[in-house]
Amino acid sequence: MEKTFFKNQIFQICIIALLGFFICWNLYAFITTKSLVSLIPTIIQLIVLSLILMKHKHAKMGINLWSVLLMLGGGLVILGKLMKFFIGDDITDGLGKLVLNILILSAGIIIYNFNQKTVEVIRTDEN
């Protein structure tokens, strides 16, 4: 049987806390906007969180997928804002959103790197 092992327990706690924060954030977005689209990331985050808490062998892959989605989401918004800036549009109205997406992109990169370095899938001999 294979299990996910976190070499760095602080990273594990931070991932669980960050997933919890994003789940609450997306649920709040769903409640306030009544948009079913905000439930898609919530479902993905709940799956990743359950994989981590169960120490499932696919938890490392789930964290990688989630961090790549963070990087894609943040990166595409930043790319869009840069395109608007270079064609001469005013981007000062969405500056707060730009900073938020830079933070999300950075978090995705950090999570991916830490996951690659500190999380392993190990074989256990449990009957």
Side-chain angles (χ1 to χ4, degrees), residues 92-106:
T92 55
D93 58 339
L95 213 52
K97 210 171 191 182
L98 179 63
V99 170
L100 177 66
N101 281 290
I102 290 171
L103 290 174
I104 290 173
L105 174 67
S106 301

Side-chain angles (χ1 to χ4, degrees), residues 7 11 16 25 30 43 53-54 59 61 68 80-82 85:
K7 291 189 258 181
F11 176 65
I16 291 170
W25 184 9
F30 170 69
I43 292 169
L53 293 176
M54 293 186 314
M61 183 177 57
V68 166
K81 291 288 184 185
L82 285 174
F85 175 73

Side-chain angles (χ1 to χ4, degrees), residues 26-27 30 35-44:
N26 288 322
L27 286 175
F30 170 69
S35 172
L36 290 176
V37 174
S38 61
L39 287 180
I40 294 170
T42 306
I43 292 169
I44 293 170

Side-chain angles (χ1 to χ4, degrees), residues 4-6 19 21 29 31 41 60 64 69 74 76 78 80-81 89 95-96 98 108 110 113-114 121 126:
T4 298
F5 175 72
F6 287 84
L19 280 166
F21 171 74
I31 291 169
K60 181 174 182 167
N64 279 339
L69 290 174
L76 289 174
I78 293 168
K81 291 288 184 185
D89 281 357
L95 213 52
L98 179 63
I110 292 168
N113 285 333
F114 267 92
V121 179
E126 293 179 12

